[in-house]
Amino acid sequence: MDLHAALEQYFHYPQFRPGQEIALRHVLQQQDALVVMPTGAGKSLIYQLSALLMDGTAIVFSPLIALMKDQVDGMNKRGIPATFINSSLSPDEQSQRQRGMVQGKYKLVLIAPERLRSPNFRAALASVQISMLVLDEAHCLSQWGHDFRPDYMNIAALRPQLQPKVTLALTATATPRTQVSIVDQLGMPEAQRFINGFNRSNLYFEVLPAASNTDKLKRVREYMREHGNEGGIIYAGTRANAEEVAAFVRDTCGLKAQHYHGAMEANARAQVQDLFMAGDLPIVVATNAFGMGIDRPDVRFVLHHTMPGSLEAYYQEAGRAGRDGLPARATLLQSAQDIVLHEHFIKNDAPTADELRRIHGMLQVDMPPTDSEIAQRLKVSDTKARVAIGLLSSAQGKLDDAAVSQIIQQVDQRREHKRSLLRTMIQYAQTDECRRAKILEYFGDAGDAAAAVCCDNCDEIASLKQPTEMRPAETRTERAALIVMDTIALMAQRNSGVGKGKLALILKGSQSEDVKYFTQNRNFGKFHELPVKEIESLISQLLNAGYLKQAGDERPVLQLTQRGDMILKARAAVNVKLRAPSERDANGAETTPVKRPRTEGNTIEVTRRLLDEGKTVEQVAAERQLTPGTIYTHCSSLIADGVLQIDRVLDSARQMAIRAAINTIGSANALAPIKAILPDYISYNEIRCMTEAWKREHGQGATITTISSPPVSPDDPIASATTFERLRKWRLERAKTDSVPPYVVFSDEALHGIVNAQPSKLEDLLSVRGVGQVKMERYGSEVLKVLKVLQDA
């Protein structure tokens, strides 16, 4: 069968994505291959279509049992005979599917590598006509990969016995070193490597400093205000973090969110995943247990509440955003606390000598316990139990001291490698250079790192090149901020550095032993009248505002950022808060409990006062060293509270234009449809202010949050926006009827294509990417009916 015809028949795609076809043809010629493509590039299509076009059954090794059902369901809906065999099934069902595999009933069978521990299953495999062996997430095979799974080694050991026609290894994250390890472990050094570009040009990368857990939650709240109405994933470092942040997003941010982690019951995990994949749950807060196989295309952001332990893990998780090719964000919250957490993980994810001996003893029985049972008996993590079993697989018979010593050496090497991965991740988080270029360099991709919207560092570099007016520091608080930055600059000149806690003690003038070395610093004791916590608060504010950064791994030290260096040299004012000594008694305690109202000194009130003086938004932003967007946010809040008139922010012409757009749309509950029918020179910030005024006038108090604007036709933006929303509504209804996620009916990209193509007959739909022959026949008439109703309206 012609490859393009097969692609159309089974997947309804008009063409292959970059890298798919060349790898597919190589595999069909029965030549081994390693395919390395970023998340969302379409790796699974390569082995699925290959299996369909080859005689026999493809055996696919997948590391996560929880996702096999979703992958098989997706293939079955496309008419692909596939199944999975794992412990989630009853013994009878496992046996039935195993017999079907031997009889050649399936084109693909998905299993976890742990299944190869079963002698019965290995014997059954010997009777199967195997078309190909597929190792999905092949980085798990390499001890140098970020998620080493020892059971993958059993695949390599069994491969010569099975003699598959071809072996295909696939992964989204493999450095050159890991790639070499994969092909060596599989014994196929001649395998062709297909390395597709790692540059996901639609992703915007950014890192936001958050020194404490409180700072992280503040960042989450700010982020949810801007992006909470869009589908997204928040990754947390621990199960407790996942539950805490999910509750925070629900209770404080007022958004629909659920947590997901490995300790949940299987049914509860499946329910959360199903709701998210169906589009009914916009936000999931999860540990890294939520990930592999998550192919919802319209995820608009991935926010890392906790820094991952490696750049491979980070890029794989970040890559779950924007799989539809539309703009998306990958945001990382940076905290030194995360480094301590990962050091704890590194120390506790591999067994001690005593644990090795005890686990070895448990395995020397006819019916050895499972990984989870061993973990429960020893009260260790599942990861530690799994790693121990994998390491013990090479030990035959009695486990003597020499064998234990050899395994412990492997454990030490593994820990050191994980520390090197962590150091690379820290360097990424702390770099001042282009983050996209750093990612591509790490994965050995020499291709172009260009993107229309790249990363926060590129934005920062560009903004620093623009001339800006800076007001000299005048107040005590503004000068205090410069003293902090000057102290750090002096230490950098002497090649020394300190963390936040020690810097606070130096500025306090502490007489403790560990700060005596710094008594010659000209700023030693400058803040002697302030409590240490107040000094630390000032330092944290400068960190979170981007004037300082933390550099280093185990003991990070403070450094000036490029912006901080510029501010210090100009002796310019920055916006920070510092309580005066008069507010405290002689012991440093507050004399009276003060709840600060919106009065002098409050940042929003300062904006109001300056606007009342007749200054424009741009002038206020320049004077306060803030972005105009921040000032507009202050304005929208003041307007919503009824203390600022819209006339102080927008001229009458802009007000009239936005009011007309609101009336045309018939609602002020979303900004994107309003923006779509306005001239480009009217910004979202201005629209937000006007809608707050409009809602006060009409008795509506809810705050509007910006949502992604669909691409619309410049010829008739009102009609385009309306058509897109009507098609989305029809898609949701049809998806519920078919009991499938909306994107299975049509992706957002396909709907945009339909809007722009304005088809009048069924054949016209075939010109739209994502609408193939099958989808045209299944949904085309309904789509044309929706379009005709709109045209006749």
Side-chain angles (χ1 to χ4, degrees):
M1 178 183 285
D2 175 76
L3 287 185
H4 289 83
L7 179 70
E8 168 65 30
Q9 176 182 341
Y10 292 105
F11 295 92
H12 319 308
Y13 297 146
Q15 60 191 30
F16 288 102
R17 291 183 181 180
Q20 287 180 326
E21 184 174 1
I22 186 173
L24 179 64
R25 291 189 182 279
H26 185 83
V27 171
L28 290 175
Q29 292 170 4
Q30 299 185 9
Q31 298 183 52
D32 297 336
L34 168 63
V35 174
V36 185
M37 290 182 175
T39 300
K43 295 183 297 298
S44 59
L45 181 141
I46 297 172
Y47 70 76
Q48 290 176 16
L49 193 50
S50 296
L52 284 168
L53 300 178
M54 296 175 70
D55 294 332
T57 301
I59 305 299
V60 182
F61 292 95
S62 178
L64 288 183
I65 290 175
L67 297 177
M68 290 183 189
K69 182 179 183 299
D70 292 323
Q71 293 169 330
V72 168
D73 286 348
M75 285 187 273
N76 290 163
K77 285 172 183 174
R78 292 189 173 102
I80 301 172
T83 193
F84 62 87
I85 304 174
N86 61 39
S87 57
S88 69
L89 304 172
S90 68
D92 288 344
E93 181 65 21
Q94 292 181 43
S95 297
Q96 182 179 336
R97 295 191 186 191
Q98 187 168 299
R99 285 193 297 272
M101 176 184 71
V102 173
Q103 294 164 1
K105 181 179 177 181
Y106 310 109
K107 295 299 292 182
L108 298 101
V109 175
L110 277 66
I111 60 173
E114 287 79 6
R115 183 141 295 265
L116 292 182
R117 298 181 195 171
S118 165
N120 178 269
F121 185 80
R122 292 200 303 271
L125 271 184
S127 303
V128 177
Q129 182 187 358
I130 298 176
S131 60
M132 59 192 303
L133 279 186
V134 180
L135 285 79
D136 201 8
E137 310 295 347
H139 58 270
C140 296
L141 178 68
S142 170
Q143 64 174 317
W144 310 121
H146 70 277
D147 192 22
F148 175 52
R149 294 277 291 267
D151 276 286
Y152 264 73
M153 304 293 286
N154 294 329
I155 306 171
L158 192 63
R159 199 176 79 92
Q161 301 173 33
L162 298 177
Q163 296 184 336
K165 297 173 185 176
V166 63
T167 298
L168 173 62
L170 309 102
T171 178
T173 50
T175 62
R177 182 182 189 181
T178 303
Q179 294 167 27
V180 171
S181 177
I182 291 171
V183 295
D184 284 351
Q185 294 287 355
L186 288 172
M188 49 183 211
E190 304 302 321
Q192 180 72 35
R193 297 187 212 173
F194 296 94
I195 316 298
N196 200 47
F198 277 86
N199 187 8
R200 292 281 304 282
S201 59
N202 63 314
L203 292 187
Y204 177 81
F205 298 96
E206 64 181 342
V207 176
L208 303 175
S212 66
N213 189 55
T214 300
D215 291 331
K216 284 187 176 185
L217 292 178
K218 288 179 181 177
R219 290 289 194 190
V220 170
R221 185 174 65 240
E222 294 165 359
Y223 200 85
M224 291 299 101
R225 284 174 181 166
E226 198 68 24
H227 307 289
N229 280 1
E230 305 166 345
I233 304 171
I234 302 175
Y235 278 108
T238 66
R239 296 164 180 174
N241 280 156
E243 294 181 7
E244 175 193 17
V245 176
F248 179 82
V249 172
R250 287 193 304 270
D251 301 340
T252 302
C253 304
L255 298 170
K256 192 175 179 181
Q258 293 291 338
H259 66 267
Y260 182 107
H261 56 64
M264 295 167 60
E265 293 291 334
N267 289 340
R269 290 201 309 270
Q271 183 180 28
V272 171
Q273 183 176 320
D274 289 346
L275 288 171
F276 182 74
M277 296 298 288
D280 295 330
L281 177 64
I283 298 169
V284 170
V285 185
T287 62
N288 59 8
F290 186 79
M292 292 181 185
I294 298 298
D295 58 357
R296 177 173 161 176
D298 62 342
V299 174
R300 298 270 65 86
F301 70 82
V302 169
L303 172 63
H304 277 90
H305 174 271
T306 308
M307 182 181 69
S310 71
L311 198 53
E312 290 101 318
Y314 172 72
Y315 197 49
Q316 185 176 58
E317 291 165 0
R320 288 170 190 133
R323 292 176 68 127
D324 55 8
L326 300 178
R329 303 180 81 86
T331 305
L332 169 67
L333 302 186
Q334 180 194 4
S335 170
Q337 295 175 348
D338 296 343
I339 301 172
V340 177
L341 176 66
H342 282 293
E343 273 296 327
H344 171 78
F345 288 157
I346 290 170
K347 290 177 181 176
N348 289 278
D349 75 345
T352 64
D354 180 60
E355 288 167 340
L356 281 170
R357 291 188 176 93
R358 293 171 67 187
I359 293 172
H360 182 262
M362 293 180 187
L363 297 175
Q364 305 309 304
V365 294
D366 292 336
M367 294 289 291
T370 64
D371 301 3
S372 297
E373 289 169 342
I374 290 175
Q376 291 173 1
R377 292 182 194 179
L378 292 183
K379 296 183 179 180
V380 299
S381 67
D382 289 348
T383 300
K384 180 179 282 191
R386 188 176 67 240
V387 170
I389 292 168
L391 292 170
L392 287 167
S393 63
S394 59
Q396 302 296 325
K398 183 180 178 181
L399 187 70
D400 57 25
D401 290 344
V404 171
S405 177
Q406 186 176 9
I407 293 174
I408 292 300
Q409 286 181 7
Q410 295 178 36
V411 168
D412 291 340
Q413 290 174 357
R414 172 183 166 85
R415 284 178 174 155
E416 183 50 41
H417 176 64
K418 284 205 162 190
R419 289 191 175 98
S420 72
L421 295 178
L422 178 59
R423 286 192 290 270
T424 302
M425 184 69 234
I426 294 167
Q427 290 165 7
Y428 168 84
Q430 296 175 354
T431 186
D432 292 324
E433 301 174 27
C434 173
R435 299 194 193 279
R436 186 182 305 276
K438 283 291 182 185
I439 289 171
L440 299 187
E441 177 186 1
Y442 181 72
F443 287 108
D445 187 338
D448 190 1
V453 182
C454 186
C455 71
D456 55 346
N457 284 342
C458 288
D459 285 351
E460 178 76 354
I461 292 168
S463 69
L464 291 176
K465 292 179 180 177
Q466 300 295 322
T468 57
E469 294 183 21
M470 290 186 287
R471 179 174 61 82
E474 297 173 348
T475 68
R476 168 183 172 276
T477 299
E478 292 167 349
R479 289 192 291 269
L482 293 179
I483 289 172
V484 172
M485 290 189 273
D486 180 63
T487 307
I488 294 170
L490 289 171
M491 291 181 178
Q493 292 173 9
R494 293 168 173 77
N495 294 318
S496 62
V498 294
K500 183 175 71 173
K502 185 169 288 188
L503 177 61
L505 292 176
I506 292 167
L507 292 169
K508 174 71 175 175
S510 169
Q511 297 303 307
S512 61
E513 195 67 31
D514 58 345
V515 299
K516 284 185 177 180
Y517 174 77
F518 300 98
T519 55
Q520 299 305 309
N521 188 296
R522 65 181 175 223
N523 295 321
F524 183 85
K526 280 283 181 73
F527 297 164
H528 62 87
E529 80 283 7
L530 295 176
V532 171
K533 285 189 176 181
E534 190 76 8
I535 303 172
E536 289 180 343
S537 172
L538 176 60
I539 297 168
S540 292
Q541 291 178 63
L542 293 171
L543 270 167
N544 292 334
Y547 299 109
L548 307 180
K549 67 177 182 179
Q550 292 178 310
D553 41 30
E554 294 182 8
R555 292 182 175 273
V557 299
L558 294 170
Q559 293 181 356
L560 293 180
T561 62
Q562 296 180 69
R563 183 169 295 277
D565 185 61
M566 180 184 71
I567 290 293
L568 179 60
K569 288 176 179 176
R571 309 298 295 176
V574 297
N575 180 37
V576 291
K577 297 177 183 178
L578 190 67
R579 286 179 297 215
S582 59
E583 297 177 32
R584 305 179 192 84
D585 60 22
N587 296 319
E590 290 189 12
T591 54
T592 55
V594 178
K595 181 179 180 181
R596 293 182 174 272
R598 185 172 282 174
T599 55
E600 190 67 36
N602 179 282
T603 183
I604 296 180
E605 180 61 20
V606 173
T607 293
R608 185 197 63 77
R609 177 173 55 78
L610 293 173
L611 289 168
D612 286 346
E613 292 175 2
K615 293 183 172 64
T616 66
V617 168
E618 289 71 22
Q619 288 171 335
V620 173
E623 181 169 336
R624 300 198 61 198
Q625 291 297 302
L626 298 172
T627 66
T630 299
I631 303 303
Y632 273 114
T633 300
H634 293 174
C635 291
S636 65
S637 178
L638 291 165
I639 291 168
D641 289 346
V643 296
L644 181 69
Q645 296 301 309
I646 187 65
D647 293 341
R648 287 294 308 115
V649 183
L650 298 180
D651 58 41
S652 59
R654 275 178 162 78
Q655 289 184 48
M656 289 177 61
I658 300 172
R659 285 182 188 277
I662 293 173
N663 291 332
T664 299
I665 297 300
S667 171
N669 289 326
L671 302 187
I674 299 170
K675 180 73 170 74
I677 61 176
L678 287 168
D680 290 341
Y681 61 79
I682 296 181
S683 69
Y684 271 114
N685 290 316
E686 294 170 316
I687 297 169
R688 183 182 288 107
C689 290
M690 186 65 248
T691 51
E692 291 295 351
W694 190 91
K695 285 187 291 182
R696 278 196 64 81
E697 295 166 6
H698 293 77
Q700 300 178 36
T703 301
I704 298 175
T705 307
T706 306
I707 62 173
S708 295
S709 175
V712 295
S713 168
D715 298 329
D716 194 350
I718 298 177
S720 293
T722 303
T723 303
F724 179 79
E725 291 304 322
R726 288 289 183 89
L727 286 171
R728 275 170 50 113
K729 183 178 179 181
W730 163 81
R731 180 183 64 177
L732 180 61
E733 292 169 352
R734 184 57 198 260
K736 288 180 177 178
T737 300
D738 293 352
S739 299
V740 297
Y743 64 82
V744 171
V745 178
F746 282 123
S747 67
D748 280 359
E749 181 184 18
L751 293 187
H752 296 325
I754 293 170
V755 170
N756 291 326
Q758 287 295 305
S760 58
K761 54 185 184 295
L762 287 176
E763 292 75 14
D764 296 341
L765 286 166
L766 293 176
S767 65
V768 176
R769 178 175 173 81
V771 183
Q773 184 72 31
V774 174
K775 289 198 175 186
M776 181 200 74
E777 294 171 357
R778 184 177 300 171
Y779 305 121
S781 297
E782 296 179 40
V783 168
L784 294 180
K785 188 180 294 184
V786 172
L787 296 177
K788 189 173 188 309
V789 169
L790 288 168
Q791 290 166 0
D792 295 343

